[in-house]
Amino acid sequence: MTIDRWSKDVAARVAERIRATRDTAGLTVPELAQRCADRGLAIPRTTITNLETGRRTSVDLAEFLVIADALGVPPISLLFPIGTAATVDVLPGREVSTWDAVAWFTGETASTEVAPAGSERELLDTFRAHDESVAAAATSMALAKDRRRKAGTTLDAIRRADLLAKAAGYEELAFDDCRDLKTFRDRMRARGLTPPALPAELAFVDQPEDHSEIGE
Protein backbone atom coordinates (compact mmCIF):
# COMPACT_ATOMS: atom_id res chain seq x y z
CA MET A 1 0.00 0.00 0.00
CA THR A 2 1.34 3.43 -0.94
CA ILE A 3 1.49 6.24 1.58
CA ASP A 4 -0.96 8.25 -0.55
CA ARG A 5 -3.46 5.37 -0.63
CA TRP A 6 -3.15 4.78 3.11
CA SER A 7 -3.60 8.49 3.85
CA LYS A 8 -6.79 8.59 1.78
CA ASP A 9 -8.08 5.43 3.46
CA VAL A 10 -7.57 7.01 6.88
CA ALA A 11 -9.49 10.12 5.79
CA ALA A 12 -12.27 7.97 4.34
CA ARG A 13 -12.51 5.95 7.56
CA VAL A 14 -12.75 9.10 9.67
CA ALA A 15 -15.31 10.59 7.29
CA GLU A 16 -17.49 7.48 7.49
CA ARG A 17 -17.33 7.51 11.28
CA ILE A 18 -18.28 11.21 11.32
CA ARG A 19 -21.27 10.55 9.07
CA ALA A 20 -22.43 7.52 11.03
CA THR A 21 -22.01 9.25 14.40
CA ARG A 22 -23.81 12.36 13.14
CA ASP A 23 -26.72 10.25 11.87
CA THR A 24 -26.95 8.36 15.16
CA ALA A 25 -27.03 11.66 17.04
CA GLY A 26 -29.79 12.92 14.74
CA LEU A 27 -27.74 15.93 13.66
CA THR A 28 -27.92 17.57 10.26
CA VAL A 29 -24.78 18.83 8.56
CA PRO A 30 -25.72 22.48 9.28
CA GLU A 31 -26.31 21.63 12.92
CA LEU A 32 -22.90 19.96 13.20
CA ALA A 33 -21.29 22.94 11.48
CA GLN A 34 -22.95 25.26 14.01
CA ARG A 35 -21.72 23.16 16.91
CA CYS A 36 -18.19 23.42 15.55
CA ALA A 37 -18.53 27.20 15.24
CA ASP A 38 -19.81 27.34 18.83
CA ARG A 39 -16.53 25.66 19.86
CA GLY A 40 -14.46 28.36 18.22
CA LEU A 41 -13.68 26.81 14.84
CA ALA A 42 -15.97 27.61 11.92
CA ILE A 43 -16.14 24.57 9.65
CA PRO A 44 -18.32 25.27 6.61
CA ARG A 45 -21.10 22.77 6.04
CA THR A 46 -19.68 22.21 2.56
CA THR A 47 -16.43 21.04 4.13
CA ILE A 48 -18.28 18.47 6.22
CA THR A 49 -20.37 17.35 3.24
CA ASN A 50 -17.33 17.04 0.98
CA LEU A 51 -15.55 15.00 3.63
CA GLU A 52 -18.49 12.67 4.19
CA THR A 53 -19.07 12.13 0.47
CA GLY A 54 -15.41 11.52 -0.32
CA ARG A 55 -14.87 14.64 -2.41
CA ARG A 56 -12.36 15.72 0.23
CA THR A 57 -9.62 13.16 0.85
CA SER A 58 -7.79 14.64 3.80
CA VAL A 59 -8.69 15.61 7.36
CA ASP A 60 -7.29 18.66 9.13
CA LEU A 61 -6.23 17.78 12.69
CA ALA A 62 -7.87 20.85 14.25
CA GLU A 63 -11.13 20.14 12.39
CA PHE A 64 -10.96 16.50 13.44
CA LEU A 65 -10.69 17.38 17.14
CA VAL A 66 -13.44 19.99 17.06
CA ILE A 67 -15.81 17.74 15.10
CA ALA A 68 -15.26 14.92 17.62
CA ASP A 69 -16.13 17.25 20.49
CA ALA A 70 -19.12 18.63 18.60
CA LEU A 71 -20.36 15.06 18.14
CA GLY A 72 -19.75 14.31 21.81
CA VAL A 73 -17.41 11.38 21.21
CA PRO A 74 -13.74 10.66 22.00
CA PRO A 75 -11.61 11.54 18.95
CA ILE A 76 -10.14 8.04 18.90
CA SER A 77 -13.58 6.58 18.19
CA LEU A 78 -13.57 8.45 14.87
CA LEU A 79 -10.05 7.37 14.04
CA PHE A 80 -10.30 3.61 14.58
CA PRO A 81 -13.30 1.35 13.79
CA ILE A 82 -13.77 0.05 17.33
CA GLY A 83 -16.39 -2.68 17.36
CA THR A 84 -16.99 -2.63 13.62
CA ALA A 85 -13.74 -4.01 12.17
CA ALA A 86 -11.37 -6.62 13.57
CA THR A 87 -8.25 -5.10 12.04
CA VAL A 88 -7.02 -1.80 10.72
CA ASP A 89 -3.96 -0.50 8.87
CA VAL A 90 -2.45 1.54 11.68
CA LEU A 91 0.40 2.59 9.35
CA PRO A 92 1.05 1.92 5.66
CA GLY A 93 1.34 -1.84 5.30
CA ARG A 94 1.00 -2.50 9.04
CA GLU A 95 -2.29 -4.24 9.77
CA VAL A 96 -3.06 -4.93 13.42
CA SER A 97 -6.14 -5.65 15.50
CA THR A 98 -8.25 -2.56 16.01
CA TRP A 99 -7.86 -2.74 19.78
CA ASP A 100 -4.08 -3.02 19.43
CA ALA A 101 -4.23 0.10 17.25
CA VAL A 102 -6.10 1.93 20.00
CA ALA A 103 -3.56 0.80 22.60
CA TRP A 104 -0.71 1.93 20.36
CA PHE A 105 -2.31 5.34 19.84
CA THR A 106 -2.93 5.89 23.56
CA GLY A 107 0.43 4.56 24.69
CA GLU A 108 -1.04 1.50 26.39
CA THR A 109 0.62 -1.20 24.30
CA ALA A 110 1.56 -4.05 26.63
CA SER A 111 5.25 -4.33 27.39
CA THR A 112 7.33 -6.66 29.56
CA GLU A 113 9.99 -3.99 29.98
CA VAL A 114 9.89 -1.08 32.38
CA ALA A 115 9.69 2.20 30.50
CA PRO A 116 12.87 4.30 30.91
CA ALA A 117 12.50 7.09 33.48
CA GLY A 118 11.47 10.33 31.80
CA SER A 119 10.38 8.64 28.58
CA GLU A 120 7.03 9.55 27.05
CA ARG A 121 5.65 6.12 27.92
CA GLU A 122 6.82 6.41 31.53
CA LEU A 123 5.15 9.82 31.84
CA LEU A 124 1.88 8.41 30.53
CA ASP A 125 2.12 5.52 32.97
CA THR A 126 2.78 7.94 35.82
CA PHE A 127 -0.28 10.05 35.09
CA ARG A 128 -2.46 6.97 34.64
CA ALA A 129 -1.27 5.67 38.00
CA HIS A 130 -2.14 9.07 39.47
CA ASP A 131 -5.68 8.76 38.10
CA GLU A 132 -5.99 5.34 39.72
CA SER A 133 -4.81 6.78 43.04
CA VAL A 134 -7.38 9.59 42.80
CA ALA A 135 -10.14 7.09 42.03
CA ALA A 136 -9.16 4.90 44.98
CA ALA A 137 -9.21 7.82 47.42
CA ALA A 138 -12.52 9.16 46.10
CA THR A 139 -14.14 5.72 46.31
CA SER A 140 -13.05 4.94 49.87
CA MET A 141 -14.14 8.40 51.03
CA ALA A 142 -17.53 8.04 49.38
CA LEU A 143 -18.07 4.62 50.95
CA ALA A 144 -17.14 5.93 54.40
CA LYS A 145 -19.53 8.87 54.13
CA ASP A 146 -22.32 6.68 52.76
CA ARG A 147 -22.10 4.19 55.65
CA ARG A 148 -21.97 6.97 58.24
CA ARG A 149 -24.94 8.72 56.61
CA LYS A 150 -26.99 5.51 56.66
CA ALA A 151 -26.02 4.92 60.28
CA GLY A 152 -27.48 8.31 61.13
CA THR A 153 -30.83 7.52 59.55
CA THR A 154 -31.60 4.09 61.07
CA LEU A 155 -33.31 3.36 64.38
CA ASP A 156 -32.10 -0.25 64.37
CA ALA A 157 -29.33 -0.34 66.98
CA ILE A 158 -27.67 -3.46 65.58
CA ARG A 159 -27.71 -2.15 62.01
CA ARG A 160 -26.42 1.23 63.21
CA ALA A 161 -23.50 -0.39 65.01
CA ASP A 162 -22.69 -2.46 61.92
CA LEU A 163 -22.78 0.58 59.65
CA LEU A 164 -20.61 2.61 62.01
CA ALA A 165 -18.07 -0.20 62.15
CA LYS A 166 -17.97 -0.36 58.36
CA ALA A 167 -17.70 3.43 58.19
CA ALA A 168 -14.71 3.34 60.52
CA GLY A 169 -13.04 0.73 58.34
CA TYR A 170 -13.59 2.74 55.18
CA GLU A 171 -12.38 5.90 56.93
CA GLU A 172 -9.13 4.17 57.81
CA LEU A 173 -8.83 3.03 54.20
CA ALA A 174 -9.62 6.55 52.98
CA PHE A 175 -6.93 7.96 55.26
CA ASP A 176 -4.36 5.59 53.77
CA ASP A 177 -5.55 6.25 50.21
CA CYS A 178 -5.39 10.03 50.65
CA ARG A 179 -1.96 9.83 52.25
CA ASP A 180 -0.72 7.69 49.36
CA LEU A 181 -2.21 10.18 46.91
CA LYS A 182 -0.45 13.08 48.62
CA THR A 183 2.86 11.20 48.53
CA PHE A 184 2.34 10.42 44.85
CA ARG A 185 1.66 14.08 44.02
CA ASP A 186 4.64 15.27 46.07
CA ARG A 187 6.90 12.89 44.15
CA MET A 188 5.51 14.13 40.84
CA ARG A 189 6.28 17.71 41.81
CA ALA A 190 9.77 16.72 42.93
CA ARG A 191 10.33 15.47 39.38
CA GLY A 192 9.20 18.80 37.94
CA LEU A 193 5.81 17.43 36.86
CA THR A 194 2.52 19.25 37.39
CA PRO A 195 -0.15 16.93 38.82
CA PRO A 196 -3.70 17.31 37.48
CA ALA A 197 -6.15 19.33 39.56
CA LEU A 198 -7.94 17.28 42.18
CA PRO A 199 -11.73 16.98 42.41
CA ALA A 200 -13.25 19.30 45.00
CA GLU A 201 -13.77 16.53 47.56
CA LEU A 202 -10.04 15.73 47.50
CA ALA A 203 -8.68 19.28 47.34
CA PHE A 204 -7.57 19.02 50.98
CA VAL A 205 -4.92 16.48 49.95
CA ASP A 206 -2.70 19.32 48.72
CA GLN A 207 -3.07 21.21 51.98
CA PRO A 208 -0.89 20.70 55.09
CA GLU A 209 -1.68 17.23 56.43
CA ASP A 210 -4.92 17.16 58.41
CA HIS A 211 -7.13 14.23 57.54
CA SER A 212 -9.34 14.55 60.59
CA GLU A 213 -12.37 15.37 58.44
CA ILE A 214 -12.13 12.44 56.05
CA GLY A 215 -15.10 10.63 57.51
CA GLU A 216 -17.31 13.67 58.20
Side-chain angles (χ1 to χ4, degrees):
M1 176 184 292
T2 66
I3 292 179
D4 182 61
R5 179 68 266 167
W6 173 78
S7 178
K8 290 180 179 179
D9 285 349
V10 171
R13 186 170 69 235
V14 170
E16 171 55 26
R17 292 301 306 148
I18 290 174
R19 184 200 61 75
T21 305
R22 179 178 61 76
D23 285 347
T24 299
L27 291 172
T28 64
V29 170
E31 287 172 338
L32 177 56
Q34 183 57 55
R35 286 192 175 193
C36 291
D38 292 343
R39 285 158 173 76
L41 182 63
I43 302 178
R45 65 186 68 177
T46 53
T47 297
I48 297 174
T49 297
N50 288 339
L51 184 60
E52 291 186 356
T53 58
R55 288 194 293 271
R56 182 177 177 183
T57 59
S58 63
V59 182
D60 179 83
L61 179 57
E63 292 174 350
F64 169 73
L65 295 175
V66 171
I67 288 174
D69 189 71
L71 289 171
V73 299
I76 199 168
S77 69
L78 299 180
L79 183 59
F80 295 122
I82 304 171
T84 60
T87 63
V88 66
D89 285 320
V90 68
L91 292 174
R94 186 189 298 181
E95 184 177 5
V96 301
S97 78
T98 301
W99 191 244
D100 284 344
V102 172
W104 166 77
F105 189 86
T106 60
E108 296 177 289
T109 301
S111 175
T112 58
E113 299 180 0
V114 177
S119 67
E120 295 303 319
R121 175 60 186 265
E122 190 268 341
L123 288 175
L124 286 171
D125 289 344
T126 295
F127 278 82
R128 288 194 180 100
H130 175 271
D131 273 355
E132 292 173 358
S133 185
V134 169
T139 299
S140 55
M141 281 188 61
L143 288 170
K145 291 180 179 179
D146 178 69
R147 296 307 184 276
R148 194 163 289 281
R149 176 185 61 78
K150 288 180 178 178
T153 59
T154 182
L155 297 178
D156 185 318
I158 295 177
R159 174 170 168 73
R160 183 174 186 277
D162 179 62
L163 287 169
L164 287 174
K166 289 180 178 178
Y170 283 127
E171 285 164 2
E172 183 176 352
L173 180 60
F175 180 88
D176 290 340
D177 287 341
C178 290
R179 182 176 55 191
D180 290 345
L181 176 58
K182 178 176 177 57
T183 298
F184 200 133
R185 292 172 68 82
D186 287 345
R187 288 175 178 171
M188 290 177 73
R189 292 189 179 95
R191 292 180 54 188
L193 304 177
T194 302
L198 290 168
E201 66 271 22
L202 293 175
F204 69 89
V205 170
D206 279 338
Q207 303 302 316
E209 288 195 30
D210 179 7
H211 294 168
S212 60
E213 299 181 357
I214 284 180
E216 296 181 7

